[in-house]
Amino acid sequence: MRNLNLTSWSKVTTTGIWKDAKSVFHFNENENTSSNLKQAYTNLNLSYPKFFKMDGLCKIGILASELLFTDAVKEKYGDDEIALILSNSQSSLQSDADHVKQYAEGTASPAVFVYTLPNITIGEISIRHKLLGESNFYIFESFRSNQLLEQAALLMSTTPTKACLVGWLEYFGNTVEAVFFLLEKEGTNPATSQLLDKIKDTIY
Amino acid sequence: MENLEENLKAQIIEQLNLEELDLEDFGNDTPLFGDDGIGLDSIDALELIVLMEKDYDLKIANPEDGSKIFRTVNTMAEFIRTNK
Amino acid sequence: MRIAITGMSIVSAIGQNVDANKESLLAEKTGIGKATLLQSRLTDTHLFGEVKISNEQLKQELNISADTLISRTSLLGIKAVKEALGQVSENKTLRTGLISGTSVGGMDRTEGFFREKIKEGKTDRITDLLTHDCGDTTDKISEYFGGFTYVNTISTACSSSANTIMMGANLIKTGKLDRVIVGGIDPLSAFTANGFNSLMILDTEWCKPFSANRKGLNLGEGAAFLILESDNVIKTNDSKIIGYVSGYANANDAYHQTASSPDGRGATMAMTNALKMAGVNPSEISYINAHGTGTNNNDESESTAINNVFGAAKPPISSTKAYTGHTLGAAGAIEAVFSVLALQNDWVFPNLNFQEQIAENDWEPALKMEDRPLKHVLSNSFGFGGNNSSLILSKA
């Protein structure tokens, strides 16, 4: 992909959080995901209480994007120059299931329903980092790095986009996975499909 | 309904996932919405309507009434006492 | 390079093909009323824009065997795509894509399974869950017709299908595809009915977009698709150009999970950038087909954004949601088809049920079917998650 560099990446799994292959936080295997995510929040000094109102999909999205959108990165770009393209295969399945359970029992919860769309994660990340750029959410059967790279390149050539976060995130039952990639025009690490696949598939 | 106000505070924290807030962090007169209070938002207001219906059997049909009823813990308690 | 529209189709509460929709629009006839097919506790109290054809009837019409595992979403989609494909000649050498937008995917079958499970403890229909995923709804359409070299599904709430149009146009512009079928589908479901009800934004009567006394939206269902081709491809085939996609943009409102910002920031940016891409001034827009859901929040925020972009010189504006209901993921494509119909016939559609002007607005929406020469139509689609898209469609 011409003019597209992978300048940083982050990963949240059932065992911990990584940035550029370095461990940022290890999850306690005796704790459940929810309390591990809370520990990570404290450890990363987020001080963003809204985090606790989010569903699991948004929580891992916020944690993964927090590591990439450093002040240095955000200062480089205008508020409409960072695009977000995320993808998964199960949409917002965990919140969907929670919502169905609640209305089947009698009363739907608005705070649960608002998370029954996968692109709410994009909304939460945009609110947190004040991003007004283009965004999209794709449903793929499995990770398609080449399409994410193609779309990022396309946005950079046709819209104000100068940097693009692309990624995959899934949260349902025992599946907890977010792999985010920050793509920028400047850099020395050409973003290739093979590189993205390797990062996603490697167990750190 | 002696401890109504205290119960309400605990319910608000629990129901709205206000994990970083303790019972001591806000008083019965602290505004629940807006920047000078504990900063609840419109979805929280809808959750409070659900809470009133589920736990106190009180229906609020017009979401706009919520802004008066949910101003503070005291106004919530007053609404419950008047309508129970 | 211009992106030509060479086919279009629609299945909505006001008609099951383009002609039927056209007739209802002209007759100012709404499709919103009592739901007879949807199974939900809200069918007694609320009105819906339901497509009056059962899944069994759809299967029969489409020659799909009765025991095939397929969601209503895919069935509505196949019915629509079939109409669109009928307008262009088949050409196996063209690299053809299919991009569909949906928010609930195969929820209707999932609900069928759980209804039986909860009521009777039966789990024999567990295979129904195989059609749950949003991506499956598109795959089923692709399998039915065959021959697509590229298939994708977008899920960005109520802007989903507007975003498929943008993405399809981009894939043609960059030479990745020669022809692309873009659009979206959402069926009615207890899932969305209960959810929107919990947000207290459903009107129990007919919705009144842009009316001061509006109380909320009516949910609708439907599917619509457009066929996009590049000018170069059209030179080599016999496709008839019915309109152009001349501009589009998407921006995030970055304000709230579901609500739009009071200053309409994302919407303003989407409209402004779409105009920029089309190379068109606001004064050259002949009609705005607004998102206009009928909720307090959307109509107020969208009005502000329209004012930001157009100032005092606003073209006629209307929302067609009072005809079809809010069809969520399908809305962007349904309204793009309406916009092409407007351009083809030089019509401005009326904003049904309007009663009182919003105090802050210096305009009221178009109230009667209007004949006036149209050149460019702006169509807005704003989704939860702050996902705002604007399209500019132009006369062939």
Side-chain angles (χ1 to χ4, degrees), chain C residues 303-373:
Chain C
S303 294
T304 304
I306 289 174
N307 200 54
N308 290 344
V309 178
F310 289 86
K314 295 177 187 72
I317 303 165
S318 72
S319 159
T320 43
K321 296 281 195 300
Y323 280 97
T324 58
H326 188 0
T327 55
L328 309 179
I334 283 183
E335 287 155 32
V337 169
F338 287 171
S339 299
V340 175
L341 278 175
L343 288 160
Q344 283 180 316
N345 298 285
D346 287 321
W347 286 340
V348 164
F349 305 119
N351 189 101
L352 304 182
N353 310 333
F354 175 82
Q355 291 175 348
E356 286 169 45
Q357 186 172 321
I358 297 173
E360 295 77 20
N361 283 359
D362 59 0
W363 54 279
E364 48 178 53
L367 298 180
K368 284 211 187 73
M369 195 74 190
E370 260 179 70
D371 265 312
R372 57 190 285 139

Side-chain angles (χ1 to χ4, degrees), chain C residues 87-107:
Chain C
Q87 295 156 33
V88 292
S89 28
E90 197 180 332
N91 183 345
K92 291 211 163 71
T93 64
L94 293 182
R95 292 164 304 162
T96 304
L98 170 70
I99 313 173
S100 176
T102 180
S103 72
V104 301
M107 194 64 76

Side-chain angles (χ1 to χ4, degrees), chain B residues 28-63:
Chain B
N28 296 345
D29 258 332
T30 306
L32 298 177
F33 294 82
D35 293 339
D36 49 347
I38 62 170
L40 301 186
D41 68 12
S42 59
I43 301 296
D44 295 319
L46 293 168
E47 275 299 320
L48 291 179
I49 292 179
V50 174
L51 185 145
M52 295 301 254
E53 190 169 341
K54 263 188 168 167
D55 296 350
Y56 298 94
D57 212 16
L58 290 171
K59 240 187 147 67
I60 299 167
N62 184 353

Side-chain angles (χ1 to χ4, degrees), chain C residues 69-316:
Chain C
L69 284 178
I70 186 164
S71 62
R72 179 169 180 81
T73 321
S74 297
L75 291 169
L76 292 170
I78 291 170
K79 184 173 162 66
V81 169
K82 203 172 184 177
E83 185 189 13
L85 284 175
Q87 295 156 33
V88 292
S89 28
E90 197 180 332
N91 183 345
K92 291 211 163 71
T93 64
L94 293 182
R95 292 164 304 162
T96 304
L98 170 70
I99 313 173
S100 176
T102 180
S103 72
V104 301
M107 194 64 76
D108 66 300
R109 291 195 72 92
T110 308
E111 286 179 350
F113 165 75
F114 279 107
R115 247 193 312 274
E116 286 194 359
K117 183 171 179 283
I118 289 164
K119 275 198 192 129
E120 304 157 44
K122 281 205 298 198
T123 52
D124 6 337
R125 282 179 56 186
I126 187 126
T127 46
D128 277 11
L129 300 182
L130 292 172
T131 62
H132 177 84
D133 291 333
C134 295
D136 180 81
T137 63
T138 318
D139 282 349
K140 288 287 191 307
I141 303 172
S142 164
E143 284 162 21
Y144 183 90
F145 296 99
F148 292 110
T149 55
Y150 176 96
V151 177
N152 198 358
T153 309
I154 287 178
S155 187
T156 56
C158 307
S159 57
S160 299
S161 55
N163 288 341
T164 68
I165 297 172
M166 294 180 41
M167 188 182 191
N170 280 338
L171 288 167
I172 288 179
K173 279 185 188 169
T174 49
K176 301 255 186 273
L177 292 175
D178 303 309
R179 172 184 281 172
V180 61
I181 324 296
V182 291
I185 325 153
D186 257 327
L188 284 169
S189 66
F191 185 92
T192 39
N194 281 278
F196 279 87
N197 189 46
S198 81
L199 296 181
M200 302 181 92
I201 51 174
L202 291 179
D203 194 336
T204 51
E205 296 171 356
W206 279 344
C207 66
K208 302 180 273 291
F210 296 113
S211 214
N213 58 345
R214 65 198 181 280
K215 291 222 170 63
L217 57 87
N218 304 134
L219 285 168
E221 65 179 347
F225 286 86
L226 297 103
I227 300 181
L228 309 182
E229 298 179 355
S230 74
D231 264 353
N232 295 341
V233 173
I234 287 162
K235 280 186 202 138
T236 65
N237 67 22
D238 57 355
S239 296
K240 185 174 171 277
I241 299 172
I242 57 175
Y244 287 98
V245 179
S246 48
Y248 45 83
N250 168 278
N252 201 289
D253 201 32
Y255 174 71
H256 183 271
Q257 301 101 308
T258 57
S260 302
S261 61
D263 55 358
R265 203 163 165 203
T268 304
M269 197 181 261
M271 285 188 270
T272 308
N273 289 343
L275 286 162
K276 220 180 273 172
M277 183 193 277
V280 160
N281 290 319
S283 62
E284 293 172 84
I285 295 291
S286 352
Y287 164 51
I288 302 175
N289 186 293
H291 187 54
T293 58
T295 64
N296 262 326
N297 175 250
N298 176 79
D299 293 4
E300 189 181 293
S301 170
E302 188 174 11
S303 294
T304 304
I306 289 174
N307 200 54
N308 290 344
V309 178
F310 289 86
K314 295 177 187 72

Side-chain angles (χ1 to χ4, degrees), chain A residues 99 103 115 119 135 137 139, chain C residues 41 153 155 191 250 257 384:
Chain A
H99 170 57
Y103 74 75
Y115 288 103
N119 68 300
S135 63
F137 202 107
I139 309 289
Chain C
R41 67 166 78 98
T153 309
S155 187
F191 185 92
N250 168 278
Q257 301 101 308
F384 283 177

Side-chain angles (χ1 to χ4, degrees), chain A residues 38 41 49 52-53 107-112 114, chain B residues 16-20 40 43-44 46-47 50 54:
Chain A
K38 188 177 169 181
Y41 165 92
F52 296 108
K53 299 185 180 183
T107 321
S109 155
V112 171
V114 296
Chain B
L16 306 182
N17 292 316
L18 306 176
E19 298 239 359
E20 296 194 329
L40 301 186
I43 301 296
D44 295 319
L46 293 168
E47 275 299 320
V50 174
K54 263 188 168 167

